[in-house]
Amino acid sequence: MMDDIFDAIQKSAKRIKDVIDTKDVGYSQNENASGETQLELDIKCDMVIEEEFSKVACINTIASEEKEHAETLHSDGRYFIAYDPLDGSSLIDVNLSVGSIFGIYDGDFGAENMVAACYVVYGPRVEMVFAQNRAKLYLLQAGEFEFVKEIRLNEKGKLMAPGGTQQNWESYHKEMIDGFFKEGYRLRYSGGMVPDLHQILLKGGGLFSYPATSDKPNGKLRRLFEVFPFAFVYKIAGGEATNGHEDLMSLGYAHVHDTSPCFFGSKYETTRVKEVYAKNA
């Protein structure tokens, strides 16, 4: 059954690549569930994924970042999938990398039910990471995804991707980030969650952060579509994922669009995050 889901994600990714290459990048007249104006691309990519998932009998329910409510596809299906069809779509018009994110849950949504996670990067090349028992990298070549390697994070990395508007950061968060840079960390931040987290994974480690801020005290990134899937991938790859105080995979959710502060990285950096946040609780 998981093979069928994996196959549907691959088919979706190939179609989305074509959509990105050929479709209008303008804004629609619609807003998504988070109040963001949707691009025509967002809507089209959402439709592509729903079409492919509708063909997979083991998928019970889907929840999209672009839709207010979850939708049942097959009432006797086993798996629940939450996905962001085109994360970072506002970067399309300046030709930066974007991605799709998938969280695969067994029986119901919730981090405790997650059994696999996947994301796709649409950049100069199309790459995909699928995590179940291991985190595996695939590359789209001549129309097919080919296995490249297993991904493992080092204990300590070199890259820093700090999200959120700095003027809205807590002072201790800014001091922590500045401290990493004084240690020699390099800034790598595009504003796209998928390519930035992908770069940290493939370069061996570092820290991606999107903290609680004065304008978004509950964080910006969504638990089911973005936070839990990447937490799962990072932990499978030997890293950690925290909200500053708790393991992200220990968090619940009340609504499909719930958000959370989040930090993803190798163990050295995430340990520092937890130490700093414990002192400032």
Side-chain angles (χ1 to χ4, degrees):
M1 288 188 288
M2 193 62 71
D3 287 344
D4 295 333
I5 294 172
F6 187 39
D7 185 56
I9 291 173
Q10 292 180 67
K11 289 177 179 175
S12 297
K14 295 173 195 176
R15 291 178 62 187
I16 288 172
K17 179 192 182 315
D18 291 338
V19 170
I20 290 171
D21 287 346
T22 59
K23 283 292 180 181
D24 178 20
V25 298
Y27 286 95
S28 72
Q29 301 301 309
N30 304 320
E31 289 188 348
N32 65 17
S34 301
E36 301 163 339
T37 302
Q38 292 173 301
L39 291 170
E40 295 290 349
L41 275 174
D42 291 318
I43 298 169
K44 180 61 179 175
C45 293
D46 188 36
M47 290 172 56
V48 164
I49 294 170
E50 183 172 353
E51 285 176 12
E52 293 298 340
F53 283 172
S54 69
K55 303 171 188 174
V56 182
C58 67
I59 298 176
N60 184 305
T61 299
I62 57 172
S64 168
E65 194 265 337
E66 300 300 330
K67 292 187 175 72
E68 178 69 29
H69 302 289
E71 296 183 8
T72 301
L73 295 182
H74 306 98
S75 58
D76 56 349
R78 173 175 175 176
Y79 294 102
F80 288 59
I81 302 181
Y83 62 92
D84 187 344
L86 197 62
D87 187 77
S89 56
S90 62
L91 300 174
I92 286 280
D93 62 347
V94 292
N95 206 28
L96 292 179
S97 296
V98 294
S100 301
I101 311 169
F102 304 86
I104 302 165
Y105 304 87
D106 191 350
D108 199 359
F109 294 118
E112 71 278 10
N113 299 318
M114 179 166 276
V115 292
C118 180
Y119 68 85
V120 183
V121 186
Y122 310 99
R125 304 188 301 182
V126 177
E127 294 186 327
M128 175 174 58
V129 171
F130 190 88
Q132 192 173 9
N133 300 316
R134 295 182 293 165
K136 298 179 179 180
L137 174 68
Y138 297 82
L139 173 65
L140 184 62
Q141 292 189 306
E144 297 298 329
F145 279 99
E146 296 185 5
F147 174 74
V148 177
K149 64 178 181 179
E150 181 181 347
I151 301 173
R152 295 294 297 174
L153 283 162
N154 299 325
E155 287 287 313
K156 182 180 185 298
K158 299 177 180 178
L159 305 182
M160 193 64 30
T165 305
Q166 291 194 31
Q167 69 180 40
N168 299 322
W169 286 356
E170 294 285 356
S171 58
Y172 59 84
H173 178 81
K174 185 178 190 312
E175 184 179 341
M176 178 187 72
I177 296 297
D178 289 345
F180 280 121
F181 285 127
K182 287 176 182 175
E183 286 184 37
Y185 282 75
R186 296 192 291 272
L187 175 65
R188 294 291 184 270
Y189 189 75
S190 71
M193 183 184 191
V194 173
D196 290 344
L197 279 161
H198 186 60
Q199 181 169 197
I200 289 171
L201 273 173
L202 293 196
K203 295 294 187 180
L207 182 71
F208 176 99
S209 56
Y210 209 109
T213 55
S214 56
D215 59 333
K216 292 194 178 293
N218 295 317
K220 178 186 177 184
L221 300 176
R222 300 156 191 86
R223 297 186 185 196
L224 290 180
F225 313 109
E226 298 164 323
V227 174
F228 294 160
F230 268 110
F232 187 90
V233 171
Y234 264 66
K235 294 189 76 167
I236 290 289
E240 296 291 342
T242 178
N243 66 357
H245 304 285
E246 303 166 275
D247 188 321
L248 287 172
M249 295 300 289
S250 72
L251 302 181
Y253 80 100
H255 185 275
V256 292
H257 292 278
D258 275 355
T259 60
S260 174
C262 51
F263 302 85
F264 308 90
S266 15
K267 291 183 178 178
Y268 173 83
E269 295 84 8
T270 50
T271 297
R272 173 83 67 81
V273 170
K274 288 182 282 187
E275 290 172 352
V276 168
Y277 272 72
K279 291 178 183 176
N280 293 278

